[in-house]
Amino acid sequence: QVQLVESGGGSVQPGGSLRLSCVVSGNSMGFNVMGWYRQAPGKQRELVAAIISGGRLNYADSVKGRFTISRDNAKNTLYLQMNSLKPEDTAVYYCNSKVFHYSGASTDYWGQGTQVTVSS
């Protein structure tokens, strides 16, 4: 089974930075897609950034140039470096792993979520 444990959330002033970490247990760093999602109260969950096993990256337009997704395969850890934070970035951030099977099906695994609050 794949388990995800997130950390790094907190409160920061506008313009500040935070780095979120997601430690992954199980061999989910093989052929899979990993990403960060966020959800604010009253809003739908949205994809923030994703990384595929081969290294392809994808970012939401709202965070391009400010956020960076990366992973350390040796440590089985996914990161989200968040710079130039804005109040609109306030949300619960979730780590996600989508594992693909030979059958063509996939399984989604989610972290518990970590709160990020950006305010003055």
Side-chain angles (χ1 to χ4, degrees):
Q1 295 183 346
V2 177
Q3 293 183 328
L4 312 175
V5 180
E6 299 165 330
S7 63
S11 297
V12 66
Q13 294 182 338
S17 298
L18 287 172
R19 188 180 75 164
L20 306 183
S21 299
C22 174
V23 179
V24 183
S25 63
N27 192 22
S28 62
M29 292 294 184
F31 185 73
N32 68 336
V33 178
M34 299 196 69
W36 290 94
Y37 291 74
R38 67 185 182 187
Q39 186 169 22
K43 298 181 179 180
Q44 290 185 302
R45 184 177 297 183
E46 63 175 348
L47 175 68
V48 177
I51 181 170
I52 305 174
S53 294
R56 182 179 178 181
L57 308 177
N58 187 49
Y59 295 95
D61 289 339
S62 60
V63 306
K64 285 182 178 179
R66 300 188 297 118
F67 290 11
T68 303
I69 187 172
S70 63
R71 66 183 181 186
D72 186 333
N73 290 334
K75 297 180 179 179
N76 286 336
T77 302
L78 182 73
Y79 301 98
L80 183 67
Q81 179 66 48
M82 304 184 293
N83 298 326
S84 301
L85 283 162
K86 305 175 181 179
E88 307 91 89
D89 297 318
T90 297
V92 177
Y93 284 70
Y94 298 91
C95 181
N96 167 264
S97 176
K98 184 183 293 291
V99 179
F100 291 88
H101 311 289
Y102 288 112
S103 65
S106 62
T107 302
D108 279 294
Y109 299 90
W110 296 91
Q112 78 284 357
T114 184
Q115 177 71 47
V116 172
T117 302
V118 185
S119 65
S120 59

